[in-house]
Amino acid sequence: MNKKYAITLLLFALFSLATKAQKWEELSQTPQMGWNSWNKFQGNIDEDIIKGIADTMVSSGLRDAGYVYINMDDCWHGKRDANGFIQADPKHFPHGIKALADYIHARGLKLGIYSDAGTETCAGRPGSLGHEYQDALQYARWDVDYLKYDWCNTVNVNPRGAYQLMSDALRASGRPIFFSMCEWGDNQPWRWARDIGNSWRIGPDIWCSFDSTRVFPTYVQYSVLDCINKNDSLRRYAGSGHWNDPDMLEVGNGLTVNQDRAHFTMWCMMASPLILGNDIRHMSAETKAILTNRDLIAIDQDKFGVQGLHLFSRDGLDYWFKPLENGDWAMTILNPTRKPIVCNLNWQDFNFTDDEVSKRSTAFDKCVYKVKNLWTGRMEGKTSTKQKVDRKLTVPAQDVVVYRLLR
Ligand code: GLA
């Protein structure tokens, strides 16, 4: 091979590697938004449900609010064919996954699929162990856009190796496929998965409770508050391209409106994936209003890409701040208790620098911000640079007050 030819070849290889990596990063510049079947339907899914959800994503305005992934969770699988390629369950998905992907793409949405790093999924369907490249190739052939990769039945499987392997397989498939790691935080993926996945679960499954952990003999399920508490110490690991995932939303699945509002707000404050877990075909006007609050979604999707911080707790209330692009801040007062709490708001209590991640200062003693209440949509004056009680607030039980502070 002559030298010139070799250099051209090398440059070409480097260029295609770089564009592949770039495409990959672009998938998760901000946290992913979409819907997943598990919280509401568990394994009882079929193509009509998925198509109905896709139709409603469009007609309800959820797609236009940013929710684009339609993710099938466990139990879409049939058997492997004679060559080892996974097939859809023919009874519940008679037209196959490619046809479903076409249906979803025609509506400006994207299709997500689910597998597991072990021998079987959590619900006993075929896992990807030993079939990683083949499965990734099959998903790419079906035009799938997203993979949630679970961690059941993985005795003697090395977590980092298993997720790296599937990550490599997805990249080799030639199609940019979002990689959502679901390892439940058992092996602290935030420490090693930054370049492996686009997001990683930080803990056990959520269940539809605001404040009670559900304990089973061999595992637990987290309440909304458990998820928030676990995520509290992990903010330094999140950023553009790789997000902490405190699990899918339970909004619309039976919490009170106040709890739903607090749940959604805190996911936005924590720059969490916003994956809806309710049956959007039959949601109430209140649920829809929460899920489509553009001001809140903008906090989650903010391009500055910093997970919010829990500044302190005082008199039963938790004070959270999230630095935003253009020098703005989001500020949330969360009342995790079952009683309303009254507080005196004095902006001078919140002068601090986010040394851990963004290095940004609130500088309330020097800067004046305009205050927008994001649940009422109303402008509420300006912050004061003086020591004074700006307002007396009642934060209802298990609810929030959330402001955008505009420079
Ligand atoms: C695990 C995951 C859940 C869901 C189920 C499916 O429990 O953590 O999110 O995917 O498996 O069986």
Side-chain angles (χ1 to χ4, degrees), residues 16 40 42 52 71 108 157 201 211 237 265 270 311 319-320 323 382 386:
S16 41
K40 183 69 190 177
Q42 284 83 52
N71 297 344
V157 180
R201 279 274 298 278
D211 59 4
Y237 301 103
T265 301
M270 298 188 300
L311 185 62
Y319 292 82
W320 285 74
K382 293 176 179 169
K386 306 253 159 47

Side-chain angles (χ1 to χ4, degrees), residues 35 40-41 49 52-53 56 251-253 276-284:
W35 176 90
K40 183 69 190 177
F41 297 97
I49 294 178
I53 294 287
T56 309
V251 175
N253 280 342
L276 312 175
N278 60 318
D279 186 351
I280 60 171
R281 298 169 307 174
H282 307 291
M283 66 183 158
S284 69

Side-chain angles (χ1 to χ4, degrees), residues 38 73-74 114 122-123 148 150 182 184 201 205 247-248:
W38 186 256
D73 207 281
D74 212 341
Y114 162 97
C122 299
K148 171 176 170 181
D150 215 337
C182 180
W184 318 315
R201 279 274 298 278
D205 289 5
D247 208 358
M248 303 167 295

Side-chain angles (χ1 to χ4, degrees), residues 149-178:
Y149 204 46
D150 215 337
W151 189 238
C152 277
N153 306 303
T154 50
V155 184
N156 293 330
V157 180
N158 175 288
R160 189 168 177 166
Y163 282 94
Q164 182 73 63
L165 183 60
M166 186 46 103
S167 178
D168 290 346
L170 291 173
R171 287 176 197 234
S173 78
R175 184 175 174 85
I177 296 178
F178 190 106

Side-chain angles (χ1 to χ4, degrees), residues 40 47 59 68 90 93 110 131 133 175 191 196 219 225 249 255 267 314 347 360 368 370 395:
K40 183 69 190 177
E47 61 184 31
S59 61
V68 291
F93 293 87
K110 297 178 175 202
H131 292 273
Y133 273 77
R175 184 175 174 85
R191 292 188 184 278
I196 295 178
Y219 65 99
L225 290 181
L249 294 163
L255 300 174
W267 261 236
R314 185 196 286 164
W347 296 106
R360 283 258 303 273
V368 176
K370 283 182 253 151
V395 188

